[in-house]
Amino acid sequence: MNMIEDWIRELKREAESTRLLLERLPEDKLSWRPHPKSMSLGQLALHAAGVPGGLAQLLDEAVSEAPVVPLPEPTTRKEVLEALEWSVSLAESKLREWGEDGLRNSWKLVSKGETILEAPRIDMARSLMFNHVYHHRGQLTVYLRLLGISVPGMYGPTADVQ
């Protein structure tokens, strides 16, 4: 088994855990925020769903301009789940396209011509395409808990499913 296939298995396995959370989104609470500075539940859910594919697009070019990350608010759970499907499919496609050699290529993030960050694509893919999702998924579990919605087990049972 090669590294790309290992990463794709992880991507799909973790997408299933993300899907478990997203399937519990209460559509009547998508605009709810735990704090005025926080994203709404819908914005956070849609962002988490779109991270793998969005970052695969960003990492695809050797040099990328720092993006302004849009945070639209979905109106339905279905919209979020469809975004996850698109995102995971695109991320898988890019991983296959890059292959191990492409993952080792240098990648640079710039802002108005100034280099902000330069690293091997493999480092950014792990940090941004994968770990970034886990961070936002953790936030989603807190949002659901605050709304009184049971949190599914992802790496074992939660207090709600024991």
Side-chain angles (χ1 to χ4, degrees), residues 1-2 4-14:
M1 196 66 57
N2 69 37
I4 296 299
E5 292 304 318
D6 288 343
W7 278 34
I8 289 170
R9 273 199 324 277
E10 179 181 349
L11 176 73
K12 289 179 176 182
R13 181 179 60 248
E14 295 298 333

Side-chain angles (χ1 to χ4, degrees), residues 5-155:
E5 292 304 318
D6 288 343
W7 278 34
I8 289 170
R9 273 199 324 277
E10 179 181 349
L11 176 73
K12 289 179 176 182
R13 181 179 60 248
E14 295 298 333
E16 284 303 314
S17 292
T18 301
R19 184 176 293 101
L20 288 174
L21 278 176
L22 300 180
E23 287 172 343
R24 294 182 184 212
L25 293 174
E27 288 187 333
D28 64 333
K29 300 285 189 207
L30 292 176
S31 62
W32 178 83
R33 296 169 190 269
H35 186 275
K37 292 181 181 180
S38 299
M39 286 185 263
S40 70
L41 174 64
Q43 287 173 314
L44 179 59
L46 191 58
H47 181 65
V51 162
L55 286 160
Q57 286 178 316
L58 182 71
L59 294 170
D60 198 37
E61 298 296 323
V63 178
S64 297
E65 185 70 24
V68 173
V69 178
L71 294 171
E73 193 165 275
T75 56
T76 66
R77 181 182 317 107
K78 182 179 181 214
E79 182 181 346
V80 178
L81 291 167
E82 287 173 353
L84 178 66
E85 294 308 315
W86 166 85
S87 179
V88 170
S89 177
L90 180 59
E92 178 181 355
S93 172
K94 289 300 176 186
L95 285 168
R96 289 188 192 287
E97 184 180 311
W98 297 330
E100 289 188 38
D101 291 339
L103 275 175
R104 295 194 193 323
N105 290 343
S106 182
W107 178 79
K108 189 185 297 189
L109 183 67
V110 298
S111 178
K112 300 174 188 162
E114 299 280 326
T115 299
I116 297 172
L117 175 66
E118 186 169 3
R121 184 183 280 135
I122 193 170
D123 293 351
M124 295 297 93
R126 168 53 64 197
S127 176
L128 299 176
M129 281 177 57
F130 286 82
N131 298 356
H132 190 95
V133 173
Y134 310 149
H135 160 73
H136 287 309
R137 199 169 65 198
Q139 288 177 300
L140 277 170
T141 65
V142 172
Y143 277 40
L144 292 179
R145 177 81 66 206
L146 290 171
L147 288 168
I149 297 163
S150 75
V151 176
M154 286 170 269
Y155 301 113

